[in-house]
Amino acid sequence: MNKKKIKTDYQKKINQLTKFNKFYFDRSKPVVSDKEYDDLKKEILLLENKYTFLNSKYSPSQAVGHKPSKNFKKSSHRVPMLSLSNAFSEADLKNFEKKIINFLSKKEGSEISYSAEPKIDGISASLTYINGVFEKGLSRGDGKEGEDITRNLFTIKDIPKKILSKNFPEEIDIRGEVFIQNSDFENLKDKFANPRNAASGSLRQKNPEDTKKIPLKFIAYTFGFEKGLEVDNQFDYLKKLSSWGFKTNPLNKLISGVKNLIQNYDDIEKTRANLDFDIDGIVYKVNDFDLQKRLGSVANAPRWAVAHKFSSNKAVSEIKDIEIQIGRTGALTPVAKIKPINIGGVQVSNATLHNEDEIIRKDIRIGDTVTVERAGDVIPHVVSVDTSKRKKTSNKFVFPKKCPCGYETIKEFNKITKKYDAVRRCPDRSFECNRIAKEKLKHFVSKEAFNIDGFGKKIVEKFWELNLIKLPQDIFKLDYGKIENLDGWGRLSADNLRYSVDKKKQISLERFIYSLGIRHIGLENAKLLSRYFGSFQKFKNLPKENNYNDLLNIDGIGETQLVSIKNFFSKEINLKILSELDKVLNIKNAKVVNTRGLLKNKSFMITGKLNNISRAEVKSLIEENSGTTVSSVSKKLNYLISGEKPTKKKIESAKALKIKVIDQDEFLKMLNKTS
Ligand code: IVH
């Protein structure tokens, strides 16, 4: 197929999906079944994977859902919906209070009382009641103008439609938060990243019948325009709200003094995971309405209120269970299953406990209250345990001594540190432990290894369970007829998979070596080995030649790697895998490096710090120019490059062996370069 034809086909599919989206989101009238819709989405994604030149801003890989419908009518807020400024520390809070005291020219140290309200992370809405009847509901929008979502808000049970209380104002905009409870979110978590997104998505459905299907809740906390509201402080207003039939936050409190605000904040942060709704901080509002009026607002935030936010990468939760996961190298990794908690917008329910020693060191137990941290892309981990929250009946966690495959695990003795490893492992029995085998296969198809499009971890799991793949070579001999008939598959997706797999039958030697998942042979070492062997046949013949020790001449390969390589080749099954893969793959020889360069037949070693050039760069310069690098001072070494603070012993032994010791400049001169 030519590029043009591929592009038109792709565009056709995108147009079709956009049309389906319009019908579904704007007109609430799906024109295809969910399955057809999902299939189309999958086809688009597969095409994009296959042909990297394809892209569209309307592709499901780009667009997050569908842009909010333009069909809601806009309407102005009679009193703007303000936002809040944030505080993150005790100092911020002190500053907030100080400014208030100054503004009101009160005496330093004056007590101000605040309504402290846990800040629910949802979508705010303003509900207009006229003579006790819910007439109109607006979203916040930009604060001045919102969308008329009355019909959707009408479906929410927590929103009273008619209020008969005598003291209810003649006219009032009741404001509060629409949200989804965590327990209800459980059923929606495949579709949305967090409860807030789920609430927002449901509230924006064009058809109120769709909104009705989602159990949205409403909690009231403030008001906008009002006529006839007889109350002079926030806390009394909250009480009124509940007497009128609105839900208010059960954790609202009246508090004075920054110290007490902090105490309350700490208490609530610790019990956050036990709440059935997400909170991302606590809102403090000066309680007295007269003071609020005097304070007024700056820009679009009031001077009389602040949101004291929780840390966005840490949260307190409870360990419900500890599961043991088995990795590719057989390492047993304990993982804490925690009560789901929102950390910086992501719902976290797993946190790694690293290894057995870590559990012992921190004495982590099931049922413990723990602080979990999620920073950047790293896996969330347990930082600390709050032992004061521990029940008397709690028991120490007993780390299993057996792998789920039934085999006894071991702790290896590290010859270098002269200590036992912190990690417990299921011994590598070459694809006999089904846990390890599955992980090895996941590694085999992973991005840096064979990188087979559309062949992810889930497919490995599934094909493994179905006995379709047990060993790496099985991946290249798949029964596509069978796959086509699997649930969720079809002719097209099976064909696409075949295409992706076939495309990867040609592979470079270094990627191939890396894919084997030999312990301690990562990307860098695989590259070194590939250069050393040059061809797959030479690599495969290593056990026959039995010249393992020569590998130690490769700078970067040490005793640890050597033992691991020997171990790999000592297993019959691995030799069989190599010969089977040899039959189905075309493993390309390593690129021949220039053998006639300026540094031909010269070997180098570096000691000390170099200037403006990394060791890695020097190494590749040497290799590019046909030289070699070695890792120890021996007769084989020709030049020792000495940088700042070199290792004395290396210099001494080099001198003793009459090896030339040169500096960075001298080295660069050999290449006709200057630094
Ligand atoms: S009062 C002028 N009270 O926080 C005061 N807001 O960043 C503005 N929120 O848009 C609102 N709980 O969505 C207030 N008890 C509470 C709140 C609360 C949550 C949200 C609301 C608002 C945002 C302000």
Side-chain angles (χ1 to χ4, degrees):
M1 242 197 298
N2 67 28
K3 211 165 166 175
K4 206 168 154 204
K5 169 101 176 59
I6 297 167
K7 272 191 178 165
T8 6
D9 279 2
Y10 171 78
Q11 193 52 46
K12 260 191 209 154
K13 288 187 199 295
I14 292 277
N15 293 347
Q16 208 175 14
L17 190 81
T18 315
K19 187 176 103 192
F20 293 168
N21 275 337
K22 269 215 172 82
F23 272 96
Y24 184 81
F25 290 100
D26 291 352
R27 300 191 208 163
S28 292
K29 233 196 216 155
V31 282
V32 282
S33 70
D34 285 3
K35 165 108 178 66
E36 276 173 275
Y37 180 84
D38 289 342
D39 281 351
L40 180 63
K41 241 163 77 173
K42 224 189 270 170
E43 284 167 27
I44 293 176
L45 296 177
L46 274 166
L47 277 174
E48 284 176 11
N49 266 336
K50 195 169 354 177
Y51 307 109
T52 42
F53 57 85
L54 295 175
N55 67 68
S56 159
K57 66 173 175 188
Y58 299 108
S59 152
S61 62
Q62 301 293 319
V64 185
H66 187 59
K67 155 159 128 260
S69 152
K70 290 199 188 91
N71 291 335
F72 291 111
K73 236 178 34 213
K74 290 259 170 72
S75 187
S76 296
H77 295 294
R78 288 182 289 186
V79 170
M81 285 181 87
L82 301 179
S83 52
L84 294 168
S85 43
N86 292 326
F88 297 97
S89 61
E90 184 165 350
D92 289 352
L93 284 187
K94 281 191 176 148
N95 195 30
F96 163 72
E97 180 156 85
K98 199 171 152 201
K99 278 191 183 152
I100 291 175
I101 290 177
N102 287 346
F103 193 92
L104 299 171
S105 328
K106 279 187 176 254
K107 260 195 248 133
E108 213 179 299
S110 301
E111 281 244 312
I112 294 182
S113 105
Y114 301 96
S115 174
E117 308 167 12
K119 184 171 177 295
I120 297 187
D121 196 11
I123 307 296
S124 52
S126 182
L127 320 171
T128 301
Y129 287 82
I130 302 178
N131 296 321
V133 178
F134 172 43
E135 294 279 351
K136 187 161 126 180
L138 303 181
S139 68
R140 180 176 184 276
D142 62 3
K144 295 190 184 81
E145 204 181 38
E147 284 172 323
D148 188 332
I149 47 168
T150 314
R151 289 183 349 116
N152 290 356
L153 291 168
F154 220 88
T155 66
I156 301 176
K157 288 206 187 81
D158 289 348
I159 297 182
K161 313 299 176 298
K162 196 164 182 185
I163 296 157
L164 299 169
S165 315
K166 280 211 192 82
N167 62 0
F168 192 73
E170 193 182 320
E171 215 175 315
I172 185 166
D173 297 336
I174 305 275
R175 291 177 175 173
E177 207 79 358
V178 176
F179 63 99
I180 273 179
Q181 286 187 333
N182 290 340
S183 45
D184 292 326
F185 175 68
E186 279 297 299
N187 309 320
L188 297 164
K189 70 175 176 204
D190 288 344
K191 293 198 185 124
F192 301 98
N194 55 45
R196 185 179 190 275
N197 286 3
S200 153
S202 323
L203 202 54
R204 289 179 158 284
Q205 295 295 330
K206 190 56 203 139
N207 187 347
E209 283 306 311
D210 290 329
T211 311
K212 203 173 173 179
K213 287 183 206 145
I214 315 289
L216 292 171
K217 303 277 182 260
F218 182 78
I219 267 189
Y221 48 67
T222 191
F223 57 88
F225 177 84
E226 57 83 17
K227 199 167 148 195
L229 173 65
E230 284 168 8
V231 56
D232 62 14
N233 68 71
Q234 170 69 9
F235 213 67
D236 284 349
Y237 171 68
L238 291 172
K239 283 187 199 149
K240 281 247 157 71
L241 279 171
S242 70
S243 76
W244 295 330
F246 289 94
K247 296 241 167 78
T248 54
N249 199 320
L251 300 169
N252 291 339
K253 277 194 189 87
L254 192 61
I255 298 174
S256 43
V258 170
K259 279 258 145 19
N260 297 325
L261 292 179
I262 301 271
Q263 181 64 52
N264 175 61
Y265 172 94
D266 289 344
D267 290 349
I268 291 186
E269 184 165 34
K270 277 182 201 141
T271 51
R272 187 146 84 103
N274 297 329
L275 303 177
D276 199 15
F277 45 84
D278 271 353
I279 55 175
D280 59 352
I282 306 191
V283 182
Y284 307 131
K285 300 172 183 167
V286 170
N287 193 40
D288 188 320
F289 283 165
D290 280 341
L291 293 183
Q292 286 191 5
K293 236 177 248 143
R294 281 176 60 195
L295 286 159
S297 40
V298 253
N300 62 348
R303 277 196 197 87
W304 45 265
V306 73
H308 189 188
K309 301 291 278 278
F310 293 132
S311 153
S312 63
N313 65 359
K314 272 188 208 144
V316 178
S317 183
E318 193 188 306
I319 300 184
K320 292 196 294 186
D321 198 6
I322 296 178
E323 257 181 33
I324 307 294
Q325 287 179 358
I326 316 294
R328 171 168 66 85
T329 60
L332 274 66
T333 306
V335 175
K337 299 270 147 189
I338 58 165
K339 276 192 183 165
I341 183 99
N342 190 323
I343 314 184
V346 174
Q347 201 78 352
V348 175
S349 43
N350 292 324
T352 180
L353 298 168
H354 302 294
N355 53 53
E356 181 180 11
D357 278 11
E358 180 84 353
I359 294 195
I360 296 172
R361 199 167 59 81
K362 292 187 176 155
D363 185 16
I364 297 167
R365 308 176 182 195
I366 294 172
D368 272 354
T369 299
V370 288
T371 298
V372 175
E373 182 175 35
R374 182 190 144 256
D377 288 336
V378 286
I379 305 167
H381 65 279
V382 169
V383 191
S384 59
V385 182
D386 182 352
T387 42
S388 71
K389 287 259 164 30
R390 186 176 278 166
K391 288 202 188 87
K392 283 213 180 82
T393 51
S394 115
N395 290 318
K396 271 200 193 299
F397 178 73
V398 184
F399 203 90
K401 300 288 179 282
K402 276 190 178 169
C403 171
C405 75
Y407 220 74
E408 283 297 330
T409 58
I410 43 162
K411 274 195 166 197
E412 286 172 3
F413 186 75
N414 187 322
K415 281 189 197 150
I416 299 164
T417 59
K418 305 234 179 335
K419 274 186 192 153
Y420 281 96
D421 271 358
V423 176
R424 187 171 278 286
R425 284 176 206 281
C426 175
D428 183 356
R429 294 181 294 125
S430 317
F431 289 90
E432 266 179 51
C433 165
N434 54 14
R435 301 292 186 113
I436 301 181
K438 254 189 274 182
E439 297 309 311
K440 280 192 191 238
L441 289 172
K442 285 180 194 167
H443 171 79
F444 191 83
V445 296
S446 68
K447 202 154 182 226
E448 259 116 12
F450 268 78
N451 189 22
I452 302 179
D453 288 343
F455 211 128
K457 292 182 180 175
K458 280 198 180 141
I459 297 199
V460 171
E461 290 272 350
K462 191 168 171 182
F463 286 5
W464 168 279
E465 301 308 332
L466 294 168
N467 274 327
L468 286 167
I469 50 170
K470 289 287 163 188
L471 296 167
Q473 58 266 37
D474 299 338
I475 293 173
F476 302 97
K477 302 175 196 162
L478 283 170
D479 182 345
Y480 292 99
K482 239 189 205 167
I483 293 173
E484 185 180 320
N485 293 317
L486 294 178
D487 226 19
W489 286 78
R491 179 71 188 276
L492 187 77
S493 23
D495 276 354
N496 278 327
L497 186 70
R498 184 206 301 264
Y499 178 89
S500 311
V501 170
D502 286 351
K503 203 165 78 176
K504 296 297 160 81
K505 284 187 175 166
Q506 234 200 77
I507 190 161
S508 68
L509 180 60
E510 68 181 76
R511 256 180 194 265
F512 176 82
I513 295 178
Y514 173 74
S515 308
L516 296 172
I518 305 171
R519 216 171 135 201
H520 304 297
I521 304 300
L523 283 171
E524 203 45 45
N525 285 337
K527 195 192 228 169
L528 296 174
L529 292 173
S530 137
R531 281 208 193 131
Y532 175 84
F533 289 106
S535 73
F536 171 73
Q537 292 314 325
K538 285 214 174 107
F539 172 69
K540 198 179 140 208
N541 284 341
L542 180 64
K544 264 192 217 140
E545 304 283 337
N546 196 15
N547 46 4
Y548 287 103
N549 282 346
D550 286 358
L551 295 179
L552 290 175
N553 287 331
I554 309 174
D555 190 21
I557 303 288
E559 194 65 37
T560 316
Q561 287 77 14
L562 183 68
V563 169
S564 185
I565 294 169
K566 263 190 191 165
N567 189 30
F568 173 85
F569 280 106
S570 72
K571 302 212 164 113
E572 205 51 49
I573 180 100
N574 290 335
L575 302 181
K576 172 98 178 133
I577 289 172
L578 288 183
S579 69
E580 287 301 312
L581 284 173
D582 189 19
K583 288 183 201 157
V584 285
L585 298 176
N586 172 10
I587 305 164
K588 289 181 282 176
N589 288 348
K591 274 197 204 107
V592 188
V593 268
N594 178 7
T595 52
R596 285 192 256 163
L598 291 165
L599 307 181
K600 192 180 169 200
N601 293 335
K602 293 189 171 107
S603 66
F604 296 82
M605 188 179 154
I606 309 161
T607 176
K609 195 184 164 302
L610 302 174
N611 262 333
N612 294 326
I613 186 162
S614 69
R615 274 184 183 219
E617 197 180 337
V618 171
K619 269 189 194 176
S620 70
L621 264 178
I622 295 171
E623 283 161 19
E624 272 167 29
N625 288 285
S626 330
T628 51
T629 51
V630 296
S631 52
S632 61
V633 181
S634 71
K635 275 188 194 155
K636 282 185 189 166
L637 176 66
N638 302 120
Y639 295 92
L640 179 65
I641 308 173
S642 164
E644 269 171 48
K645 295 193 189 149
T647 311
K648 257 195 197 153
K649 209 172 156 198
K650 284 183 184 155
I651 304 269
E652 278 162 14
S653 4
K655 282 188 175 153
L657 290 169
K658 299 210 164 68
I659 292 165
K660 277 189 198 144
V661 180
I662 55 171
D663 65 14
Q664 185 173 335
D665 286 344
E666 284 169 287
F667 165 70
L668 290 172
K669 253 187 227 148
M670 292 173 81
L671 293 169
N672 301 325
K673 285 179 196 249
T674 45
S675 50

